[in-house]
Amino acid sequence: MDVSPLIWTLTIVFIVALLLFDFFFHVRKAHVPTLREAAIWSALYVGIAVLFGIGVLIFGGTGPGGEYFAGYITEKALSVDNLFVFLIIMSSFRVPREDQQKVLLFGIVFALIARTGFIFLGAALINSFAWVFYIFGLILLITAGNMLKPDGEDAHTGDNIMIRLARKVLHTTDHYDGDKLFTMVNGKRAMTPMLLVMVAIGGTDILFALDSIPAIFGLTQDTFIVFTATAFSLLGLRQLFFLIEGLLDRLIYLSYGLAAILAFIGIKLILHALHENNVWFINDGQPVEVVEISTGLSLSVILGVLVVTVVASLFSPAGKAQNAIANARRHATSYLDSEYTADPAERERILRLLLAERDQIVALGPKYKQKAREEADLMELLERARDSHRAAVERGEAEPLGPSKILPHD
């Protein structure tokens, strides 16, 4: 698609303006967004992305338009998977609820910068070396295989290589000072854990880009479409986090769906590489006659796989149990953390969510209730949360729970 420098400039200015608007009108003042606020702004950003895609369809044609929507949907799905890691990082570093928006916005901006760099690098390599398609295809196939591996012991600890490296290099204070990166301790300037969080988020953004950029280049080689589909998939990610945060652990089959999509795109890339082949040891450096996968088929496969995996996850009893147990663990930890929030209403919200999750575990039946009871750390957290609430009631700082209790075996 032929795009003039003026259109490039206007598009970049529009994206930057959206980020600035998000910062000055939503993130600058620390607060906990309501579910309604998150839903409205998530829908607005998706609407902007869809309208932009319709514009590509009108002015660029069905080919570029289909490539844009295939790229946008793929990148959006991958960004949802990235939210799992963001959630783990913020839980690991005990980021105060009111400041999580700023961390997420930083992650989005850094991801956009990192991926833009990879996009132009990838475009330059593709234009100069056709064999790069083989490399991108292999990267996606390896990534798909890694997604199918069972979670390791560190899957829910947030103790990945970037965080371990950041902890060793940066020495910070034990406590936050709002959203400040630096604070004063005993008259000396010191780094807060917020800086460590930013480094961890930024590092994982670079790792994410290594998967997402080859994926979208497998759907289109148009640099403008790659850039805009990636950018619009990241915009609104902050609001989406607060909208679906409580459902993330329920999407137990999403990784399988993403693995299938990445493997499909990887195969598509390798077929395209064979079609454009100039590698001397493959068919004597001549193109190989193979069937290439159309954009329409790619879009249909991506949508179909995502719909099946998301619906299967939402209706799975195992997914419901895993989600309730994981959320109960997080909410009990947050409720016991005196630095998690200074808002009494937020603490009340956490407690109510904790009770709802307890009821979900009980409603799923003896099998999953027993599964929760076997989680020793979870039981200890719930007991401490119950005792903390009882103490708050005795001090007159909280309302009694009535007949409801926190522990699932009460």
Side-chain angles (χ1 to χ4, degrees), residues 41-88:
W41 286 102
S42 292
L44 181 63
Y45 278 107
V46 170
I48 290 172
V50 170
L51 287 175
F52 187 88
I54 292 173
V56 174
L57 278 170
I58 294 172
F59 296 103
T62 55
E67 290 175 356
Y68 168 83
F69 280 110
Y72 171 76
I73 293 169
T74 300
E75 292 296 302
K76 199 70 174 179
L78 288 170
S79 69
V80 170
D81 192 53
N82 297 348
L83 289 180
F84 281 97
V85 182
F86 287 165
L87 178 60
I88 291 170

Side-chain angles (χ1 to χ4, degrees), residues 44 59 104 157 184 187 210 227 235 292 314 340 357:
L44 181 63
F59 296 103
L104 288 167
T157 64
M184 299 299 293
L210 296 176
F227 171 75
L235 292 172
E292 288 211 73
L314 293 178
Y340 178 73
E357 286 142 11

Side-chain angles (χ1 to χ4, degrees), residues 138-150 258-260 262-263:
L138 288 173
I139 288 173
L140 294 182
L141 290 175
I142 292 170
T143 302
N146 288 333
M147 281 189 164
L148 295 177
K149 292 180 180 179
L258 290 176
L262 291 181

Side-chain angles (χ1 to χ4, degrees), residues 19 22-33 86 90 95-111 176-181 192 194-195 197-199 201-202 205 237-239 241-242:
L19 290 170
D22 207 16
F23 175 76
F24 285 105
F25 290 93
H26 292 104
V27 176
R28 192 176 185 183
K29 183 180 179 181
H31 73 286
V32 180
F86 287 165
M90 289 193 290
V95 178
R97 183 71 170 179
E98 291 85 350
D99 299 319
Q100 289 181 2
Q101 290 197 100
K102 188 162 290 186
V103 173
L104 288 167
L105 185 60
F106 169 83
I108 291 167
V109 172
F110 193 91
Y176 289 89
D177 185 6
D179 58 5
K180 295 178 182 178
L181 301 181
T192 70
M194 185 63 71
L195 183 61
V197 176
M198 298 295 190
V199 172
I201 291 286
D205 278 335
L237 195 60
R238 175 185 65 80
Q239 294 87 346
F241 174 83
F242 289 99

Side-chain angles (χ1 to χ4, degrees), residues 162-189:
M162 295 306 304
I163 295 177
R164 290 197 295 270
L165 182 62
R167 287 188 189 275
K168 289 181 179 179
V169 174
L170 299 176
H171 300 284
T172 64
T173 62
D174 294 330
H175 304 285
Y176 289 89
D177 185 6
D179 58 5
K180 295 178 182 178
L181 301 181
F182 295 90
T183 188
M184 299 299 293
V185 178
N186 298 325
K188 295 182 180 180
R189 188 177 175 84

